[in-house]
Amino acid sequence: MQHRPPQTKVYLLQNRANSFFAVGELELTDTTLLCRVTGNAGWIAKELGIPDLKERLAAGEKVVAFEFGRNA
């Protein structure tokens, strides 16, 4: 039986000066830390350079915001 890696919901803040945020999820595997955007795509679409982010999320696509190796 395969176990799913630990996941948690996160709020990605644009900066400390305002309350604009995007919703995402973090997933920790044996080799990586992965963050996917799951909602509130406004400012983060511009930051990630994905102009059709809202449409991609609506279509159920999993959009990666960042991924780091665990030893990075």
Side-chain angles (χ1 to χ4, degrees):
M1 181 170 143
Q2 229 178 14
H3 297 286
R4 290 190 56 180
Q7 295 180 338
T8 191
K9 186 175 184 176
V10 295
Y11 297 94
L12 304 165
L13 296 175
Q14 184 177 17
N15 64 52
R16 292 180 181 182
N18 65 45
S19 60
F20 297 125
F21 66 91
V23 180
E25 64 183 20
L26 286 178
E27 179 178 293
L28 182 63
T29 70
D30 290 339
T31 58
T32 62
L33 172 64
L34 178 71
C35 180
R36 292 185 196 92
V37 178
T38 59
N40 293 342
W43 66 269
I44 203 163
K46 184 177 179 180
E47 291 293 323
L48 295 175
I50 307 173
D52 63 342
L53 180 59
K54 186 175 182 179
E55 292 80 11
R56 290 168 67 174
L57 293 173
E61 186 174 336
K62 296 198 180 244
V63 179
V64 175
F66 63 82
E67 183 174 3
F68 295 107
R70 287 208 42 189
N71 294 327

